[in-house]
Each structure stands twice: as C-alpha cells, then as structure tokens.
Amino acid sequence: MGITQHAIDELGEITFADFSSVEAGNKVAIGDAVVDVESVKTTSSIYSPVAGVLKAFNEKIQDEPGSVNAEGEKIWFWEYEELNDNNELLSETQYQDYCKSLDEH
C-alpha cells in the first residue's frame, strides 16, 4: 500500500515517517492509522483504506523519508498478509475525479 501523487503533493517534502503504532501481524480496520509522517507542511497519519492483517513495512521510508517524494507512487509503505472480502476501493478514474472535485473547492 502506498500513497497517491495527490497526497504527496498535499503533504509536501516528507521528512520523517513512524510505523511504531502497529506491527506485522496486527489486524487493521478501514480508517486505522498505520504510519505517521511529518513533512515541511504538516504532520499527518496515513490510514488503511482496507481491512486486513499487516504483513510488512518498507523500512526505506523510515531510513530515507525523502524517498517518498523522489519515487512518488512507485514506493510502497506497507503490505497486507490478508485482506477482508468486504473491501471496496475507488478505481483510479474515480479517485482522479474525486481529487479534481477537491481542487475545485
């Protein structure tokens, strides 16, 4: 699981990432905070968009938080070991439309 370019742009340059609130094997629900990030603009939590069991975390993000800005959507934050069947995500087109609607306000 990663974050979108829209989120990266909104956060600004990421300077710190902390995964200490969760561990591999933890169950998360939709909306649970998985990682806290600090950037030049703000401090924010990144939330799980799906319910499931966490498998692994990308240590590179903790060691080199700026890699998120450099690699954009190509870098992953965490993996799930298993997902619940009732997860519904927006398609890429639906998400882009949602982001455009935010920009219009």
Side-chain angles (χ1 to χ4, degrees):
M1 186 62 54
I3 61 175
T4 64
Q5 190 61 50
H6 176 79
I8 292 168
D9 293 343
E10 291 295 308
L11 287 169
E13 182 182 344
I14 295 174
T15 58
F16 179 76
D18 180 20
F19 291 97
S20 66
S21 64
V22 292
E23 296 178 359
N26 285 160
K27 291 182 182 180
V28 292
I30 294 171
D32 284 354
V34 177
V35 61
D36 294 316
V37 294
E38 292 180 13
S39 70
V40 294
K41 290 183 179 181
T42 189
T43 298
S44 183
S45 294
I46 308 294
Y47 302 96
S48 180
V50 297
V53 177
L54 298 172
K55 179 180 180 180
F57 303 95
N58 190 344
E59 293 179 14
K60 179 178 181 179
I61 292 173
Q62 278 191 250
D63 297 340
E64 301 171 38
S67 62
V68 175
N69 299 91
E71 297 182 40
E73 293 181 354
K74 296 176 186 172
I75 196 165
W76 61 279
F77 278 67
W78 66 87
E79 291 180 297
Y80 294 96
E81 184 173 317
E82 58 186 72
L83 296 174
N84 292 356
D85 292 335
N86 60 347
N87 293 309
E88 292 185 28
L89 297 174
L90 298 176
S91 70
E92 185 175 352
T93 301
Q94 289 170 319
Y95 182 75
Q96 288 173 351
D97 290 344
Y98 171 73
C99 291
K100 286 177 189 173
S101 75
L102 294 176
D103 292 340
E104 293 172 359
H105 291 98

